[in-house]
Amino acid sequence: MRFRDVFSIIGPAMVGPSSSHTAGAARIGRVARLMFGECPGSADIQLYGSFAATYRGHGTDTALVGGLLDMTTDDPRLPDAFAHAEAAGMTVSIRPGKGLYPHPNTAELTLVNAAGDHTLRLTGTSIGGGNIEIVRINGFSLKLTAAYPTLIIRHYDEPGVVAIVSALLVDSGINIARMAVDRQSRRGEAMMVMECDAMLDRVLTDRISQLPGVQEISLLAM
Amino acid sequence: MNFRTLKELAGLAEARSSTLGELMLGEQCQESGEDRDSVFRQMLEYYLIMKTAVEQGIRTDTVSKSGLTGGDARRMSAYREQSPSLLGEHASLAMTYALAVSEVNASMGRIIATPTAGSCGIIPGVLISSQERFGWSDDQMVYGLFAAGAIGYVIANNSFISGAEGGCQAEVGSAIGMAAGALVDIRGGTPAQAIHAVGLALKNTLGLICDPVAGLVEIPCIVRNGFGAITALGAADMALAGVRSVIPSDEVVQVMLEVGSAMPESLRETAGGGLAQTPTGRRITRDLQQQS
């Protein structure tokens, strides 16, 4: 189901004026920030569809930047996000994207840290009422809603990786609500995303990160 | 959730002899794994934020970020005090409150998306004004919000709730259907009556385009929230009187999906058509661009 529960319909609490163009944009920005793990030195933001057509009036750009600064949808500082970005030393470029896009409200973010040795490319869609779907991460086509604690694992495509990670989750009594896997090539780089019904503890994430075949893991909890 | 359609929702509520609101509270607890108290408290918190937004829109001079809109709720309040409104005491109050919350939204104030920010005035408008009229408790209103959420959940998963996907019918239309069903539920109507209210309301907004001037959630969004509150009251009254939606409400939801999918992109929140592209709409857009 695209919309999972009552609070995806009633809510979120947010600063106006648009749930899809402001609150959803803030959430996409915040997912990118949490996945990136540090304040970006630069953010290149490409907007598509209705995002590109109407972002100024809705503060879509402001909200994305606010999210990149770890602000929530009802953060009173949100309207002044650009000033906060400048203070934080983050440069921002906003431009209309070219080519096909997956949803009328789509933003493509490329984040680079100040040292220039850490990059994240992420495509997010705002599907209505402040709900979002991240549909692409560093070239992998996946789907995650950020509504659950989400395990994001970069790994090698080999038999058993998904099964072993799932088994560890089962041992901890954690249920997987949704999951997605994509790979660059057979036996090449791959990524899996697991949206879980409960929070994972440090012991569990450490064990998963040490599994053979696993390159890197991150845990997203909004 | 144990239901996918409005028919299944009403069927479950009837089988368990519960209201739609009580049913949805239980379903939410199961879905989230949280206890009743914390789920209920979260919704109560949202209801209190809605009340604050009404208060703010009525008491303060709201001016939108663009400077285009604001102050309409105060105009309505002053008018209501001077002379009897044509709509009557209650409907005009619901309309005034809906305008108030929408204006707070346009001024980058704090609101609850119900189901979206563009349609955030309708549910608080009808629920808070009805609470004052009938003396209902906050707890009763919170159940009403759960009922509205249950209806919105079905619409959102079978059709859409964003203007960019399905036009204004998806936003304001859905909010009216949700508000109408919730009112019937709180007022003691049967689940079947609440579902009829949804269908009756949705039929009245089918085809409504999303054509915001300069792409802002202001013109015509704010007044559509005001009108939406009145339509919700009307649909709830019809359903409570026994009027039925002859085309079943689930089929009406499917029509909304069909119509929204057929709507050209220019009429789905891109400001590429409709009111946004009238001579005045274009002039306002140009003026705003020159200012920025």
Side-chain angles (χ1 to χ4, degrees), chain B residues 151 155 172-182 194 197-198 201-202 232:
Chain B
I151 294 160
I155 297 173
V172 159
S174 298
I176 297 170
M178 290 159 65
V198 178
L202 288 181

Side-chain angles (χ1 to χ4, degrees), chain B residues 167-211:
Chain B
C168 192
Q169 57 166 3
E171 292 202 24
V172 159
S174 298
I176 297 170
M178 290 159 65
L183 271 182
V184 171
D185 204 45
I186 308 174
R187 192 88 169 96
T190 64
Q193 284 177 320
I195 297 313
H196 279 302
V198 178
L200 291 167
L202 288 181
K203 281 190 286 193
N204 192 52
T205 43
L206 285 174
L208 193 62
I209 58 175
C210 180
D211 52 349

Side-chain angles (χ1 to χ4, degrees), chain A residues 172-194:
Chain A
S172 300
I174 291 172
N175 185 47
I176 301 168
R178 306 160 52 131
M179 71 170 290
V181 185
D182 192 28
R183 64 180 185 188
Q184 265 168 6
S185 61
R186 189 164 175 165
R187 297 296 166 116
E189 298 232 344
M191 184 176 270
M192 76 172 106
V193 166
M194 291 169 159

Side-chain angles (χ1 to χ4, degrees), chain A residues 3 11 17 21 57-58 74 103, chain B residues 105 110-111 113 157 165 215-216 269:
Chain A
F3 297 86
H21 290 61
H58 288 135
D74 67 339
H103 186 277
Chain B
N105 178 58
R110 192 166 185 237
I111 55 94
N157 282 311
E165 287 179 329
L216 305 173
E269 209 176 333

Side-chain angles (χ1 to χ4, degrees), chain A residues 18-32:
Chain A
S18 166
S19 45
S20 54
H21 290 61
T22 319
R27 274 185 172 164
I28 291 171
R30 189 150 177 265
V31 168

